[in-house]
Amino acid sequence: MSLLQLNHSSVMKRPGELINTSNIITPLAAIPRSDLIFRITVFNGATSSQKQIYGNFEWLTTGKGPSQGPSGIKDDRFSIAIPAGWEIQSGSYGADMYKSFFNISNATWLGWVNDGTNGFANGGKPASDGYSLYGASWELTPANINYRYKGTTWFTMRKVNSSAVNRAIVSYMEAKSNPLGQFGVSLAWKALEVTYTPTSGSVNTANQDITWK
């Protein structure tokens, strides 16, 4: 599979029947459930060996919490990691960001609006350092005051080894700037694992995984 074959514009989301799943919640590290919730969902793909993996996140914190400006969710990462024996299908991925505006005049949040790939770096493609044999990672960019955010990322994967485990992991990384307002991170991938190593600033992380029959 060549990374140069990725073409976002040619991808259509056509999920099949939702398959039997069982969620396994792993420790949320430094991000509490009161701030962030996310889910992972698996659909049957176009063939018996293909599955579509969807990861969804939503920040619940308002006010000056991590879901809002001025820094918002800028530089955060949302990743999906898969086991050895599975292969991400070339060009078969997507991302959508949703935002809700806080109306100051009456102190209410407006309904969610689909902002498409706006809010994702790299035009909605996985980050340049975030596309691996073992998964994909998207970089988030919103930094708008009085907004909160939620989003979805997905890709299609194919089982290339019949003994491969039926499991996937979603991982959220919150970017924490250093006192100079800078942030940088490098990613390292293994089967069912993505590791975020900050090169400036620090990170909070949360993970969830899923298995299926």
Side-chain angles (χ1 to χ4, degrees), residues 6-210:
L6 296 175
N7 184 349
H8 178 74
S9 63
S10 65
V11 177
M12 296 291 289
K13 287 189 280 188
R14 299 182 183 276
E17 179 184 359
L18 178 64
I19 67 175
N20 183 30
T21 61
S22 60
N23 285 321
I24 303 173
I25 306 298
T26 57
L28 289 185
I31 306 179
R33 291 178 177 86
S34 58
D35 282 349
L36 174 70
I37 58 173
F38 51 58
R39 306 173 184 87
I40 183 169
T41 310
V42 184
F43 292 88
N44 285 322
T47 69
S48 60
S49 63
Q50 289 185 341
K51 303 296 177 189
Q52 284 193 330
I53 305 292
Y54 282 74
N56 303 276
F57 68 88
E58 178 179 349
W59 279 105
L60 304 177
T61 307
T62 58
K64 294 183 179 180
S67 63
Q68 273 193 268
S71 59
I73 56 175
K74 181 175 172 57
D75 297 325
D76 287 8
R77 296 288 187 104
F78 191 62
S79 309
I80 305 175
I82 62 176
W86 288 86
E87 180 183 85
I88 299 176
Q89 297 299 278
S90 180
S92 184
Y93 61 83
D96 288 292
M97 186 71 73
Y98 299 81
K99 62 184 181 181
S100 176
F101 178 70
F102 186 70
N103 189 332
I104 299 176
S105 63
N106 59 11
T108 59
W109 288 98
L110 302 182
W112 290 105
V113 175
N114 187 342
D115 206 24
T117 57
N118 293 325
F120 291 94
N122 206 25
K125 301 174 184 177
S128 57
D129 63 346
Y131 198 78
S132 157
L133 287 175
Y134 299 119
S137 180
W138 286 259
E139 181 180 350
L140 315 183
T141 60
N144 299 312
I145 220 166
N146 294 329
Y147 280 92
R148 57 182 179 182
Y149 302 94
K150 62 181 180 180
T152 297
T153 63
W154 67 273
F155 57 71
T156 299
M157 65 182 194
R158 181 173 66 92
K159 182 179 278 192
V160 294
N161 185 331
S162 60
S163 62
V165 297
N166 295 330
R167 188 180 175 195
I169 290 177
V170 291
S171 177
Y172 192 100
M173 182 212 79
E174 180 189 9
K176 306 293 286 184
S177 295
N178 65 24
L180 297 178
Q182 302 298 311
F183 178 80
V185 69
S186 62
L187 274 64
W189 292 89
K190 296 181 181 178
L192 286 170
E193 180 182 339
V194 55
T195 302
Y196 312 99
T197 302
T199 55
S200 61
S202 60
V203 301
N204 291 333
T205 60
N207 302 288
Q208 181 175 327
D209 69 30
I210 193 169

